[in-house]
Amino acid sequence: MRQHKQLLSSYNDYPRVSSIVMRPEKYSHLKSLPGPVIARGSGTHPTDGAIHENQHVVLMERLNRFLSFDEERAILQAEAGVTVGEILRFFVPRGWFLPVLPTSSKSTLGGCVATDIHGKNHHHEGGFSKHVHSIELISFDGTAKKCSSKEEKDLFFATIGGMGLTGVISEVSLKMIHVETAYMVGKRQLAQNFDQLFQTFQEAAAVGRYAYAWVDCLANGKGLVVHANHASLQQLPQHIEEPLNMVGKSRCCPSLCLPNWVIHPTTRRALNRLYYQYQSRRSSDFLIDCSTFFFPSQQERWRSKKGAVAYEFFVPKQSAYKAILKVIEALSKSGFSASSAFLQVCGKGSEGYLSFAKEGFAFQFSLPLTQDSPFAFLNQLDQIVLEHGGHVCLAKDVRLQPHTFRSMYPQLHKWQNIKASCDPRMHFASNLSKRLELGNKQ
Amino acid sequence: MKPVLILGATSSIGRAIAQTLAEEGNPLYLAGRNRAELDRIALDLKLRYRVEVFVSLYDADYPLENEKFLRQALHRVKGFRGVVVGLGEFCDQQKAMHHFSEVKRVIDRNFTNVSSIIMHCANYFEKEKSGFILTITSTAAERGHRQNYVYGAAKAGLNLFLQGLRHRLSSSNVQVLTVKAAFVDTAKTFGIEKWHRAISPQELARESIKALKSGKHEIFVPWSLRYLMFLVRALPERLYRRKL
């Protein structure tokens, strides 16, 4: 297999490092990977978990074949490089839908498993891994192991949310759900302040299968609450003749590299206000096709030349309101040009040892990297999150400190035991595993 | 409907062309060297496009087996609508400059063995009085370059072979399409530095099938190379002989 040096970065262009990349095109190529190595999907997460400075990175993009689909049990088996957008393109017209969707249509199945993504419907459907029937994992010696919640249980729970550090995920089988139409029907509600927003959001999450809130962090948490359900055939207007036709194309927004004065909080505030005004003039009820709903063109891809840094944290239900309000206040005081944030509600968590979402709320935003570095500020936020019993999402992290990380994830030692037994020579490693000292057993 | 025979189906170009053809509902007959890969690609195509897909082992390195291969394939399916030849291999020029074995291997893989299977297919289609032969060749064949003349020579031979074949088959309603591709982003060219953007296999497949449908005989992918290659051919050779 040919390999060469290439600059790779996280989705937010930070950090940017040179790695030795390989791109297998045949399944058998996965069995003889030189180490240390990490698999990379489409790189749609703002994490340093899919890059490895001066070491090997395997691009999984060409291992993207559907292998089987069992219509009776609704189980799709595919190679890990298949993207979510591709699955929707072929399966929505046949009446099938993915149970949990990431925010980018380019995310691969392998990436979704490795980060155990949580969608806008976590309170309803749980995380991605809950719907994974089984996975095939290539371990350091090239042997393929099938794991599921019944077979090789420990390895399975270490792999979901395990950031690809237990092996290369080569195949994924997952359960699909049935839909009648490719449309979403739902409602937008505006909120003047965070109090109102939090209240409305909880009500919305109770009625909507999918729910999220857009929060303006620079204006004391006013925002927009959206909830939606899959539209049934009766709910569609007459003029739509093919209910399962995906009309909207999944759009991708190129990252906008802007000068520092444009990314200034004042511009951000003004734009947020405009967006809010625009939303207040739109009708509150909507019926849109699923790709427009799930993959909106992201306005959050502004960054300076150096890139941006994302921050997502989870807090349990009891302390959520207090913690999130504290973070919003800190953000509006800090003088950083924080992007607007997304609030999501999470249901029962998965059993993955490093899985992110548990019962509570998830809150995410990003900060552009300008002259004054936001890292010290984010360390302060870590303390707020930790005080309220929360933790930071690994799939969106490039800067967490190892000691904070250890106190956030109490099941880490279990994960480390499994890592030590399945990969004793640290064959699978990334910038993230080095930074968080994931290999070093405590 | 008769299937299309795809030779070299496990290569990224072969797979992309198979996908494009399957998208339009053509049944396929995939032939390649790696059985496990062929099966995976066949499963994928069946699931995505719901077309009939046959697979068969085929090794272009044994040209004497070609007749038997075609006979067996025709025994399995009633006939072929056409054939896509995605055979050939990009070569290491440095090695080919000093080792005759490498020169022979490159010329065999890109010309001798390929022309053997094309010959058998051509005879079949001539008898049928319909069909097409789509062959992927390279722009490296337009002019001898110091960086890749061995590969270029093999491909140039193939181009002339196809040209002659086209003239021969013009009276029997068989389309012979030569696709002259620039740098394609495949496993063999991954990471090689180039002065222009590599074209993706999907792009190549789309352009080729479009040309096939519109009855063309020879295309460049990307199309703009047509003018550039005209220039490359027209410039006096003296200009290429500069001292480095």
Side-chain angles (χ1 to χ4, degrees), chain B residues 217-234:
Chain B
H217 302 303
E218 194 177 275
I219 58 158
F220 284 96
V221 182
W223 63 268
S224 52
L225 280 185
R226 195 172 148 186
Y227 305 105
L228 187 68
M229 285 303 144
F230 175 75
L231 252 173
V232 167
R233 280 194 307 265

Side-chain angles (χ1 to χ4, degrees), chain A residues 120-126 130 205-206 208-210 229 345-347:
Chain A
K120 298 178 170 86
N121 56 348
H122 195 281
H123 58 298
H124 210 280
E125 296 279 347
K130 207 182 143 197
R209 186 187 182 120
Y210 299 89
N229 288 301
V345 60
C346 302

Side-chain angles (χ1 to χ4, degrees), chain A residues 221-393:
Chain A
K222 74 174 180 182
L224 175 76
V225 176
V226 182
H227 71 265
N229 288 301
H230 288 288
S232 67
L233 275 175
Q234 287 84 19
Q235 283 169 311
L236 280 200
Q238 288 290 317
H239 66 87
I240 297 173
E241 279 166 10
E242 289 173 73
L244 285 167
N245 198 0
M246 300 242 297
V247 275
K249 289 199 180 101
S250 54
R251 285 159 287 182
C252 87
C253 178
S255 63
L256 278 174
C257 204
L258 299 170
N260 285 347
W261 62 268
V262 180
I263 313 174
H264 197 268
T266 321
T267 348
R268 193 78 97 167
R269 263 191 207 106
L271 277 169
N272 280 353
R273 195 171 298 162
L274 272 176
Y275 182 71
Y276 188 85
Q277 286 294 331
Y278 164 65
Q279 291 295 353
S280 65
R281 279 169 201 215
R282 290 170 88 185
S283 66
S284 65
D285 295 298
F286 63 83
L287 178 102
I288 49 176
D289 68 285
C290 56
S291 56
T292 320
F293 178 78
F294 287 104
F295 315 119
S297 52
Q298 289 164 305
Q299 69 261 43
E300 297 317 319
R301 301 223 54 199
W302 289 20
R303 73 249 357 248
S304 64
K305 255 187 200 152
K306 287 186 201 160
V309 49
Y311 192 79
E312 176 165 28
F313 65 89
F314 157 86
V315 266
K317 218 170 182 174
Q318 311 84 308
S319 49
Y321 175 78
K322 251 198 258 165
I324 296 170
L325 193 61
K326 258 192 196 172
V327 169
I328 292 176
E329 275 166 4
L331 272 173
S332 46
K333 262 187 242 156
S334 68
F336 288 109
S337 167
S339 74
S340 47
F342 283 94
L343 178 64
Q344 282 170 358
V345 60
C346 302
K348 200 169 165 289
S350 79
E351 292 177 66
Y353 299 129
L354 295 183
S355 278
F356 165 70
K358 306 237 158 48
E359 198 159 358
F361 290 85
F363 190 78
Q364 67 173 93
F365 58 88
S366 67
L367 299 177
L369 285 170
T370 45
Q371 275 94 351
D372 38 346
S373 153
F375 293 120
F377 171 70
L378 289 175
N379 287 344
Q380 285 170 24
L381 291 192
D382 281 346
Q383 291 312 317
I384 301 181
V385 171
L386 204 52
E387 271 168 34
H388 291 86
H391 50 247
V392 170
C393 182

